[in-house]
Amino acid sequence: MEQQLSTDAIRIALPDGSVRSYDGPVRGDEIAADIGPGLASAALAIRVDGTMRDLASVIDRDAEVSIVTGKDADALALLRHDAAHVMAEAVQELYPDTQVTIGPAIENGFYYDFARSEPFTPDDLARIEERMREIVDRDEAIVREIWDRDAAIEFFKNLGEHYKAQIITDIPEGEAISIYRQGQWLDLCTGPHLPSTGKLGKAFKLMKVAGAYWRGDSRNEMLQRIYGTAWADQKQLKAYLHMLEEAERRDHRRLGREMGLFHVQEEAAGSVFWHPKGWTLYRLLQNYMRTRLEHAGYVEVNTPQLVDRSLWERSGHWEKFREHMFTAEAEERMLALKPMNCPGHVQIFRHGVKSYRDLPLRMAEFGACHRNEPSGALHGLMRVRAFTQDDAHIFCTEDQVTGETAAFCALLQNVYRDLGFDDVIVKFADRPAKRAGSDETWDRAERALTEATAAAGLATIPNPGEGAFYGPKLEFVLRDAIGRDWQLGTLQVDFVLPERLDAVYVGEDGQRHRPVMLHRAILGSFERFIGVLIEHHAGRFPLWLAPVQVVVAPITNDADAYAGQVQAALAGAGLRTEADLRNEKINYKVREHSLAKVPVIAVVGAKEAAAGTVALRRLGGAQQEILALEEAVATLRQEAASPFSR
RNA sequence: GCCGAAGUAGCUCAGUGGCAGAGCAACUGAUUCGUAAUCAGUAGGUCCGGGGUUCAAAUCCCCGCUUCGGCACCA
């Protein structure tokens, strides 16, 4: 860093366009105080030429400066990072045998990873949180110091802080070793930080304790991570906690049980027992996709579940994917349940001679796959061991990759829109460390995909090193109704598998050529997608997807016969209906079917029976709509139509 | 797979060494009611599985399974 002692005036440009001049180097808090006492007490940090720095940092040259206060969006990250430090201080005061490691700000909060032989209990969390509030009350000044590297390593080693010493050792030579001190406690940190612990405020809460590997590597020892959430004020904290409750209310595992959609049980961990209503939803979604795919020029196939090991060896799966494959033995042959559909599709492609006129060949399969996922990864429908993909492989020429990718992106966006998702992010995942194929092949594949996304007008976010072992991929991420992201769709360019499994076509030139394979899925898997769909809609599916669309509820048993007629009329129009003829009050029936999230309740009593009408009550609405039976049937039939049918 | 927690009636949960419980749901009966819970009664248990300690175990100890929260991995 350049130290210039200049007698020249330092000119500080503020966001409102004004410029203040100082005789020499000036601190951020001095500038804030200069502007006004209100700002001085609200000031948390400064931004110097766009970079956030400590309030007390010295500005020794002309710069654009703004004062960061609690109203600033970036202040939250600062505050959360401080919350992590205050938590670490509290933990080390309470549990001196604990070593600190790292503690960053994250979305919605912060965490800190500790090394300690005893596990932290929920009671410990309450104690730590209480101590944190005390530290906030102490309002300890937070001061940045620059230390000598070797002295810092020695210091932390003497404290028994071996992780910190390791972190400092790994900081590149020439970089400053900055230490932040607050009260008796200090930590290695690049900052910036708030001026004092009192500025943190008390809108925080410790949420949970969990295991986390040192440096995120499963070969390393496991640390204890304490997660917390922190906000600028109590109102924001309360809103966040409310959002968590909302997420819990929408949990697909809970709704799946309450709505009678599916269950899982330990004898088949990671596989789904679909109940009639859940399977109805599944079939509706599959039929919709089938229609979409047919319209988009796909052909549908079906390939074997159990396939001899030799094919997986040729495809490369045995080498790269073995640990995730289930195997079976029969008559001294080793078979494996397919974890992917691609090798099977190449076998179909290879049957008969393919010509360039056959390309692009879009081969779709609702392929049931099994993958032996690690037990700790299983989670409701979101992560299972047996699932069905809306999978397809597009065999095409290199020249067709761009057009096929663009067409796929359009199809995908239409499907997502039909299913109620508008917010889609696209990530570009390039070559992973463990991969098949030469670097030249990867260069070509990545270039083709880059060109294709540019042609499709898609903005992509890089996701380095996350490609499939056989090729780069696009990952389509949906944002749901309560702001959570789900990676579902994918498109992967593959120059490797056609080579390994010897797929060829005869070109215009009469010569044999390798096709390119595009692996693509829109929903990803039906299981996961339905999980997301349940949570996104909070179980209140659009009418066309609701397993039961209308319940006919007579007010007394006198209307049972008419209720039967109404149900028959609705069913005759293709609507999925039930009649609730139980001897219960209408209040009870309305409550029960509302809780079951049935979109429409058709109430019929003596009046309706006499007039040939029905009273429709929509889910979530208190108004009823009285229509002639035929009119009600016609209206509902129209509303319940699939958003895409040929 | 790793760290931590949990597993009791269909569901939500109480029960810290001495008779296995509640509410809702189910079933039976009564009630026939106009838009989010009618009343009464009945039935329902491998207290996750296996071993151990004890006169006695849902409860204490050990092993395993599953689930939950994370981590790692991933559609």
Side-chain angles (χ1 to χ4, degrees), chain A residues 333-487:
Chain A
R333 303 187 85 174
M334 185 178 277
L335 305 166
L337 276 168
K338 67 175 172 182
M340 297 181 191
N341 306 299
C342 13
H345 290 186
V346 176
Q347 304 316 302
I348 294 179
F349 183 85
R350 278 162 46 86
H351 258 249
V353 178
K354 293 293 182 293
S355 122
Y356 71 95
R357 295 172 191 275
D358 296 318
L359 305 184
L361 175 56
R362 307 182 191 93
M363 193 183 291
E365 177 173 4
F366 296 118
C369 295
H370 287 79
R371 294 183 192 171
N372 193 0
E373 299 291 347
S375 57
L378 301 181
H379 178 93
L381 296 179
M382 301 301 189
R383 196 72 183 275
V384 290
R385 288 182 174 148
F387 55 94
T388 301
Q389 297 176 310
D390 64 319
D391 199 11
H393 295 94
I394 301 171
F395 295 86
C396 62
T397 67
E398 237 175 290
D399 290 344
Q400 290 168 335
V401 169
T402 303
E404 288 301 308
T405 298
F408 171 71
C409 291
L411 173 63
L412 172 133
Q413 282 169 310
N414 286 331
V415 168
Y416 287 169
R417 198 171 310 117
D418 283 350
L419 293 164
F421 298 94
D422 297 314
D423 212 342
V424 184
I425 301 159
V426 188
K427 293 187 189 169
F428 189 109
D430 62 14
R431 65 192 75 187
K434 195 174 167 186
R435 59 179 182 262
S438 67
D439 286 353
E440 292 71 36
T441 307
W442 275 88
D443 288 341
R444 265 161 58 216
E446 287 173 0
R447 199 178 319 122
L449 204 52
T450 305
E451 284 166 11
T453 50
L458 285 173
T460 61
I461 300 167
N463 191 10
E466 293 297 320
F469 74 79
Y470 45 73
K473 61 182 176 185
L474 299 180
E475 299 171 336
F476 298 88
V477 179
L478 287 188
R479 183 154 294 168
D480 77 6
I482 55 172
R484 295 169 307 176
D485 289 344
W486 302 96
Q487 200 229 296

Side-chain angles (χ1 to χ4, degrees), chain A residues 49 68 121 183 202 212 219 227 253 255 278 369 386 406 423 426 458:
Chain A
D49 293 332
V68 177
T121 66
K202 294 190 178 168
R219 288 167 302 192
Y227 282 97
R253 293 163 301 184
L255 289 174
C369 295
D423 212 342
V426 188
L458 285 173

Side-chain angles (χ1 to χ4, degrees), chain A residues 37-240:
Chain A
L39 187 61
S41 66
L44 300 176
I46 51 170
R47 196 177 283 104
V48 182
D49 293 332
T51 307
M52 193 130 76
R53 291 170 59 180
D54 292 333
L55 189 60
S57 53
V58 174
I59 301 154
D60 57 8
R61 70 190 68 187
D62 292 357
E64 282 182 25
V65 172
S66 58
I67 310 293
V68 177
T69 69
K71 288 183 187 137
D72 213 296
D74 293 347
L76 261 185
L78 203 63
L79 187 134
R80 287 168 178 161
H81 191 177
D82 264 55
H85 274 218
V86 169
M87 177 167 75
E89 183 180 1
V91 165
Q92 291 203 307
E93 283 184 11
L94 291 165
Y95 312 97
D97 58 331
T98 307
Q99 288 187 63
V100 291
T101 66
I102 57 158
I106 53 172
E107 197 180 0
N108 301 324
F110 61 94
Y111 67 77
Y112 209 112
D113 286 349
F114 300 101
R116 177 176 180 244
S117 48
E118 287 283 294
F120 289 111
T121 66
D123 288 344
D124 292 337
L125 289 197
R127 286 183 67 196
I128 295 164
E129 197 174 307
E130 198 188 319
R131 182 61 64 96
M132 287 172 71
R133 293 182 200 287
E134 287 172 30
I135 293 170
V136 170
D137 286 336
R138 285 183 217 156
D139 197 17
E140 296 167 349
I142 302 175
V143 183
R144 184 173 200 256
E145 299 171 4
I146 301 297
W147 284 25
D148 172 72
R149 177 192 195 84
D150 293 335
I153 294 171
E154 199 55 31
F155 176 83
F156 282 106
K157 272 189 180 162
N158 286 337
L159 276 183
E161 295 281 5
H162 302 293
Y163 292 93
K164 270 295 172 203
Q166 183 63 47
I167 292 169
I168 299 170
T169 306
D170 293 345
I171 293 175
E173 292 285 348
E175 270 185 41
I177 308 294
S178 65
I179 301 285
Y180 278 81
R181 191 186 284 278
Q182 54 193 56
Q184 302 294 305
W185 188 80
L186 51 77
D187 193 5
L188 170 83
C189 187
T190 52
H193 275 282
L194 299 176
S196 72
T197 58
K199 299 287 186 191
L200 170 57
K202 294 190 178 168
F204 59 80
K205 182 175 161 64
L206 299 189
M207 305 299 285
K208 56 197 166 200
V209 56
Y213 296 107
W214 165 238
R215 297 195 155 161
D217 189 327
S218 61
R219 288 167 302 192
N220 291 341
E221 59 273 34
M222 184 150 280
L223 306 170
Q224 294 189 67
R225 175 172 297 177
I226 301 180
Y227 282 97
T229 187
W231 300 86
D233 55 49
Q234 291 295 332
K235 198 175 155 193
Q236 287 182 13
L237 173 63
K238 219 170 151 184
Y240 174 68

Side-chain angles (χ1 to χ4, degrees), chain A residues 606-622:
Chain A
K607 279 186 286 188
E608 287 75 15
T613 58
V614 293
L616 299 184
R617 184 197 163 101
R618 310 279 178 158
L619 181 58

